[in-house]
Amino acid sequence: MKEQKFNIPFIALIAASFLLIISFFLPFASATGKYKDYLKDNPKGMFAEEIDMTNKEAVNISLIEYAKMYGYIATSMDGRDQQQGILSLVLIIAMGVFSILALIFAIMKKSIRTIVFDCFSFLVFCLYVFDLKDRKVLPSSDYNYGISYYLYAVFSVIIIASSIWLIVNTKKHNNSSQSVNSYEENA
């Protein structure tokens, strides 16, 4: 039974780390109001021809789709637009890389490293959200935050809490093992 208790924080850590990566594929921005109705009424219309995104796909836009848009802007535009495209693309890629590293270290049961890369990921997430708010991209009259925006923060907190829980359980497990070993040696 103790072994199962020891695995609960590890399972929670792996699940939250995996779901953090899955959140890149969930809606980060969702169309609202009349704009949402317009997109749904014209599903085959092109929202962004350059990246082959239809209106139907633009009702909910994931971080992966944002990366495609910013990749196009970074390679096809000039001046300030190009710089903004590069910055946004770098932020999304950094979030992804740090999230993947957090998952890898979670699998390896390296709690401190998992916390570090999860914190890096969340910090970059906060910078990206600040940039979107500053440019009035999100929230706007046409789009509001999607489920991924909220889940990203929740999963980041769960990763930190599970990592700490795993550290505490590991220390308790190691201390109880040492107590049993010293008892057996004295007997």
Side-chain angles (χ1 to χ4, degrees), residues 36-183:
K36 181 178 184 176
D37 294 337
Y38 165 76
L39 292 172
K40 285 185 171 185
D41 290 342
N42 303 296
K44 294 184 180 181
M46 293 306 288
F47 175 79
E49 269 186 59
E50 303 82 10
I51 61 166
D52 200 32
M53 181 185 277
T54 64
N55 287 345
K56 181 181 177 183
E57 296 167 327
V59 172
N60 293 301
I61 302 174
S62 70
L63 284 169
I64 297 296
E65 292 164 329
Y66 266 118
K68 289 178 188 175
M69 284 190 261
Y70 289 125
Y72 172 78
I73 291 169
T75 58
S76 302
M77 304 219 169
D78 293 326
R80 195 166 196 194
D81 289 334
Q82 182 183 40
Q83 293 170 354
Q84 185 59 56
I86 291 168
L87 174 66
S88 297
L89 184 60
V90 166
L91 290 174
I92 293 171
I93 290 171
M95 285 169 36
V97 168
F98 291 143
S99 297
I100 290 168
L101 288 170
L103 175 61
I104 290 168
F105 287 120
I107 291 168
M108 296 171 60
K109 292 187 178 182
K110 303 291 185 187
S111 297
I112 301 296
R113 292 177 188 159
T114 303
I115 291 171
V116 168
F117 283 105
D118 180 55
C119 288
F120 285 161
S121 176
F122 189 70
L123 177 64
V124 175
F125 169 79
C126 291
L127 289 171
Y128 180 64
V129 169
F130 173 79
D131 177 58
L132 292 174
K133 285 180 182 178
D134 188 51
R135 293 185 294 126
K136 297 176 181 32
V137 173
L138 278 177
S140 69
S141 60
D142 295 335
Y143 282 94
N144 208 343
Y145 296 112
I147 189 73
S148 175
Y149 168 81
Y150 300 102
L151 291 179
Y152 204 89
V154 169
F155 293 143
S156 291
V157 170
I158 292 172
I159 289 169
I160 291 171
S162 299
S163 294
I164 293 169
W165 188 10
L166 185 61
I167 291 168
V168 169
N169 278 4
T170 302
K171 296 254 187 226
K172 283 182 182 178
H173 181 72
N174 289 344
N175 287 342
S176 67
S177 295
Q178 288 175 355
S179 297
V180 169
N181 288 341
S182 64
Y183 175 76

